[in-house]
Amino acid sequence: MLFNSLTFIVFFAIVLALHYSPFPWRIKKFNLLIASYLFYAAWNPPFVVLLWISTVVDWFVARKIHDEDRLARRRLLLTLSILVNLGILGFFKYGNFLLENWVWAMAQIGIDWQAPGWDIVLPVGIAFYTFPTMAYSLDIYLRRAKPAKSFLDFALFVTFFPQLVAGPIVRPTHLIPQFAIPHVASLKQLYWGLSLMILGIFQKVVIADGLLAPASEEVFMTAEHVSFWDAWLGTLAFSGQIFSDFAGYSTTAIGVALTLGFSLPNNFRFPYAAIGFSDFWRRWHISLSTWLRDYLYIPLGGNRKGPGRTYVNLMVTMLLGGLWHGAGWTFVIWGAAHGLALSLAHGAQALVKR
């Protein structure tokens, strides 16, 4: 279900009506949970099973990790959570990419390996619920948080429909506590939430899809030579398109949550006003960049193990960040370019400080 659809308007009106009806808080949470499953099922009902798998596995695994004192057993349980979530993500999002590269590698050594048919549909928003559920298990393993007291609260955290399909990537420590106590929006929050929804949909429908997409497609989809100025205009149009598309969706999601009385983290902060690549990644897709920092870059050692290791950690983080955006070598190259740029920026800062 898309935010910019008549179906969503009807759906949202019903959700708001139920949320502000005089039901007990637990019933309202059940309503939100059911609504979230319906929101996801509107695209492809069978894939709701993936939500259930992530929810059930991480609920029980995290509780076992919390109760377990033996380090080896805790690591084994954490590995189970990571394998389940990354297994789901890898199979659906990267399976075809890996298979194609395996066929190519076999061909390089003279083996004509015929790949079987791969008719796998990529579930929408799969990374936006596998990453938060992994974060839940990781937080408990690292003693950053305790398990949620209510399975309903945890299930709602995994499936909360405003951020389910395209983020922001919400931390369990940010959202689960909000479900523990009754939340409704004040008149001011309702006003701002609706305003953010209008702004976000305007960014997505009018600016990204209506104004900029035709211009960028005209340049990038043509098979003919384009002039210098047309190439630049197409590039600028595409830059504006991807920002307005993604930021518009995030803004709408934040607005939808706010009308229900919940807060979601800001995901974009004027990224094209950034000064350098480090500043850019503090402004662009903030929920992803901070997730990669806290759950990948810092655990790898961050900048605590010398310059050489810092550059390796930056490259690994950005390579995986590139792959997160899509399964293809163009995304790997994109991640490598950003990793190199961040490494150069870090090196330049170190020289200036000397």
Side-chain angles (χ1 to χ4, degrees):
M1 190 184 302
L2 300 175
F3 285 156
N4 56 321
S5 66
L6 181 60
T7 304
F8 177 76
I9 294 175
V10 175
F11 167 86
F12 180 61
I14 295 173
V15 170
L16 273 183
L18 291 172
H19 192 66
Y20 288 95
S21 297
F23 296 125
W25 181 234
R26 185 172 178 82
I27 298 299
K28 290 184 178 183
K29 288 192 289 187
F30 269 116
N31 291 338
L32 286 175
L33 181 63
I34 293 170
S36 297
Y37 284 132
L38 291 174
F39 179 86
Y40 197 75
W43 173 75
N44 196 323
F47 285 126
V48 172
V49 174
L50 299 179
L51 288 173
W52 293 341
I53 292 173
S54 286
T55 301
V56 172
V57 168
D58 283 284
W59 169 258
F60 285 106
V61 165
R63 295 186 76 83
K64 289 289 187 182
I65 290 174
H66 180 264
D67 296 337
E68 183 61 62
D69 292 325
R70 290 168 292 183
L71 181 60
R73 186 66 63 86
R74 286 167 54 81
R75 287 176 175 172
L76 182 62
L77 290 165
L78 179 64
T79 301
L80 174 61
S81 170
I82 293 173
L83 287 177
V84 169
N85 287 288
L86 291 186
I88 293 173
L89 184 64
F91 178 78
F92 286 99
K93 188 168 185 176
Y94 302 105
N96 189 58
F97 174 67
L98 295 172
L99 186 62
E100 288 176 354
N101 282 277
W102 174 259
V103 172
W104 177 86
M106 291 297 99
Q108 302 311 301
I109 58 175
I111 299 176
D112 184 18
W113 196 81
Q114 298 296 322
W118 190 271
D119 299 323
I120 299 297
V121 178
L122 176 62
V124 64
I126 186 170
F128 288 98
Y129 57 83
T130 52
F131 271 39
T133 53
M134 272 196 301
Y136 177 73
S137 296
L138 283 164
D139 280 347
I140 293 172
Y141 174 81
L142 296 170
R143 307 292 191 188
R144 294 173 179 170
K146 295 181 179 180
K149 296 180 180 179
S150 166
F151 179 76
L152 174 59
D153 290 354
F154 178 69
L156 186 54
F157 156 71
V158 176
T159 61
F160 190 48
F161 76 88
Q163 51 85 44
L164 178 59
V165 171
I169 300 173
V170 185
R171 302 291 180 90
T173 51
H174 178 90
L175 194 53
I176 292 177
Q178 296 187 57
F179 296 138
I181 57 176
H183 271 71
V184 293
S186 64
L187 285 177
K188 186 176 181 180
Q189 288 176 319
L190 188 62
Y191 166 77
W192 276 107
L194 292 173
S195 299
L196 288 172
M197 289 176 63
I198 293 170
L199 174 61
I201 292 173
F202 179 83
Q203 281 182 284
K204 164 66 178 170
V205 176
V206 178
I207 298 179
D209 296 344
L211 182 62
L212 298 176
S216 64
E217 290 173 3
E218 184 71 21
V219 171
F220 287 102
M221 300 299 289
T222 185
E224 302 176 359
H225 175 76
V226 295
S227 68
F228 173 84
W229 294 112
D230 285 341
W232 265 110
L233 287 172
T235 301
L236 292 174
F238 179 72
S239 299
Q241 178 195 350
I242 59 173
F243 168 74
S244 298
D245 187 279
F246 200 178
Y249 193 100
S250 292
T251 301
T252 307
I254 293 169
V256 170
L258 191 58
T259 62
L260 298 169
F262 303 103
S263 72
L264 297 182
N266 188 16
N267 212 21
F268 292 88
R269 191 179 295 118
F270 306 104
Y272 291 149
I275 303 174
F277 279 91
S278 296
D279 189 34
F280 176 80
W281 279 106
R282 286 190 287 267
R283 297 167 175 265
W284 177 276
H285 203 348
I286 300 167
S287 63
L288 173 64
S289 60
T290 55
W291 197 100
L292 291 172
R293 179 197 67 198
D294 294 344
Y295 295 101
L296 182 60
Y297 176 71
I298 292 177
L300 285 173
N303 59 358
R304 305 185 306 273
K305 298 187 177 182
R309 181 65 179 272
T310 298
Y311 301 141
V312 171
N313 293 341
L314 284 170
M315 288 300 298
V316 170
T317 300
M318 293 313 301
L319 282 170
L320 292 176
L323 273 174
W324 183 92
H325 285 84
W329 284 108
T330 51
F331 292 102
V332 175
I333 295 170
W334 178 87
H338 277 266
L340 179 61
L342 288 171
S343 297
L344 291 173
H346 190 277
Q349 289 175 355
L351 288 174
V352 169
K353 291 178 180 178
R354 289 181 179 177

